[in-house]
Short mmCIF file of all heavy atoms in Angstrom, two decimals:
data_model
loop_
_atom_site.label_atom_id
_atom_site.label_comp_id
_atom_site.label_asym_id
_atom_site.label_seq_id
_atom_site.Cartn_x
_atom_site.Cartn_y
_atom_site.Cartn_z
N PHE A 333 72.37 86.98 75.73
CA PHE A 333 72.29 86.62 74.32
C PHE A 333 70.86 86.46 73.83
O PHE A 333 70.61 86.39 72.63
CB PHE A 333 73.10 85.34 74.03
CG PHE A 333 72.66 84.12 74.79
CD1 PHE A 333 71.61 83.34 74.33
CD2 PHE A 333 73.29 83.74 75.95
CE1 PHE A 333 71.21 82.21 75.03
CE2 PHE A 333 72.90 82.61 76.65
CZ PHE A 333 71.85 81.85 76.19
N ILE A 337 69.55 93.09 70.40
CA ILE A 337 68.88 93.58 69.19
C ILE A 337 69.81 94.47 68.36
O ILE A 337 69.39 95.06 67.37
CB ILE A 337 67.59 94.37 69.54
CG1 ILE A 337 67.91 95.49 70.53
CG2 ILE A 337 66.53 93.45 70.10
CD1 ILE A 337 66.69 96.34 70.88
N ASN A 359 60.57 98.29 47.33
CA ASN A 359 60.70 97.01 48.02
C ASN A 359 60.96 97.19 49.51
O ASN A 359 60.57 96.37 50.34
CB ASN A 359 61.87 96.22 47.39
CG ASN A 359 61.48 94.78 47.14
OD1 ASN A 359 60.32 94.47 46.92
ND2 ASN A 359 62.46 93.90 47.17
N LEU A 382 50.79 88.47 72.66
CA LEU A 382 49.76 87.73 71.93
C LEU A 382 50.23 86.33 71.53
O LEU A 382 49.45 85.36 71.57
CB LEU A 382 49.35 88.52 70.68
CG LEU A 382 48.00 88.15 70.04
CD1 LEU A 382 46.86 88.34 71.04
CD2 LEU A 382 47.77 89.01 68.80
N GLY A 543 76.66 70.76 91.59
CA GLY A 543 77.60 71.85 91.78
C GLY A 543 78.48 71.98 90.54
O GLY A 543 78.21 71.38 89.50
N SER A 563 68.26 69.05 78.27
CA SER A 563 67.73 69.25 76.92
C SER A 563 66.34 69.85 77.01
O SER A 563 65.52 69.40 77.82
CB SER A 563 67.66 67.93 76.16
OG SER A 563 66.93 68.09 74.96
#
Side-chain angles (χ1 to χ4, degrees):
F333 60 84
I337 54 178
N359 226 28
L382 199 60
S563 169

